[in-house]
């Protein structure tokens, strides 16, 4: 074969290799950015869930230890309601950023349960709703931790 044909074949192969490499690098970079976004979101989500659970426990403690008439005043005075609402907004945003639909649904269910606690009356810490909240919190935190580890 003529040297010009070999040169042309070399250029075509070189260009094809360059294009394939560029596509692979772009795909890998996009995937890595997505994983990094999920990792950061999971870390923030764990923090938000922990704060939400802490605030929920404070609300329950106030409700169990304060007379019925004084509960709303005490919740306001403690600043719990304001903190609770602010954290719920953050938790909602973090939840909607979860890529895994199953995990997102689990976090939503826990969040819904937490949001309902200020509105219900609990007689003691053996109440089945309280026990359910603790169990669901543990399961969701385990799942979020597993998802976080899988993104490294």
């Amino acid at each position: 074969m003529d040297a010009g044909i070999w040169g042309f074949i070399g250029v075509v192969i070189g260009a094809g290799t360059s294009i394939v490499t560029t596509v692979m690098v772009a795909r890998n970079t996009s995937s890595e950015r997505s994983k990094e976004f999920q990792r950061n979101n999971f870390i923030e989500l764990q923090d938000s869930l922990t704060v939400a659970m802490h605030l929920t426990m404070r609300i329950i403690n106030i409700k169990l230890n304060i007379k019925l008439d004084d509960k709303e005043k005490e919740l306001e005075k403690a600043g719990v309601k304001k903190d609770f609402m602010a954290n719920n907004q953050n938790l909602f945003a973090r939840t909607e950023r979860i890529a895994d639909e199953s995990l997102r649904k689990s976090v939503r269910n826990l969040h819904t349960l937490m949001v309902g606690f200020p509105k219900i009356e609990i007689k003691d810490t053996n109440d089945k709703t309280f026990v359910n909240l603790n169990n669901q919190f543990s399961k969701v935190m385990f799942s979020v931790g597993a998802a976080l580890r899988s993104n490294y």
Side-chain angles (χ1 to χ4, degrees):
M1 279 198 203
D2 187 78
I5 293 175
W6 283 112
F8 178 74
I9 292 172
V11 168
V12 170
I13 291 174
T17 304
S18 177
I19 291 169
V20 168
T21 302
T22 302
V23 169
M24 288 173 54
V25 167
R27 188 176 298 153
N28 190 29
T29 301
S30 175
S31 174
E32 191 55 41
R33 272 190 273 163
S34 177
K35 279 185 159 188
E36 181 181 355
F37 176 80
Q38 285 298 302
R39 274 193 307 263
N40 292 338
N41 188 53
F42 287 140
I43 291 168
E44 292 294 324
L45 179 65
Q46 285 178 323
D47 291 343
S48 290
L49 284 169
T50 302
V51 169
M53 189 64 166
H54 173 75
L55 291 168
T56 302
M57 291 298 121
R58 282 184 63 196
I59 290 169
I60 291 168
N61 189 38
I62 289 170
K63 286 187 163 216
L64 289 174
N65 295 307
I66 306 287
K67 288 186 284 181
L68 187 61
D69 297 337
D70 298 333
K71 287 180 185 178
E72 288 301 314
K73 289 182 210 168
E74 192 61 33
L75 287 172
E76 289 294 334
K77 191 168 92 177
V80 176
K81 276 188 163 181
K82 182 180 174 189
D83 293 345
F84 191 72
M85 289 171 41
N87 190 67
N88 280 331
Q89 291 172 340
N90 185 20
L91 187 53
F92 179 77
R94 297 279 172 205
T95 301
E96 293 309 310
R97 294 176 186 165
I98 299 172
D100 181 339
E101 181 64 36
S102 172
L103 180 56
R104 187 169 51 244
K105 185 177 178 182
S106 294
V107 174
R108 276 186 196 140
N109 290 340
L110 174 61
H111 188 203
T112 300
L113 190 58
M114 287 177 170
V115 168
F117 260 86
K119 299 173 187 122
I120 63 172
E121 284 302 318
I122 300 172
K123 302 200 183 351
D124 60 42
T125 55
N126 292 322
D127 186 292
K128 76 176 188 177
T129 308
F130 179 77
V131 172
N132 182 35
L133 172 67
N134 280 318
N135 290 339
Q136 198 165 347
F137 177 75
S138 296
K139 287 178 186 174
V140 167
M141 288 299 278
F142 177 80
S143 297
V144 171
L148 176 59
R149 288 187 298 277
S150 74
N151 275 288
Y152 277 98

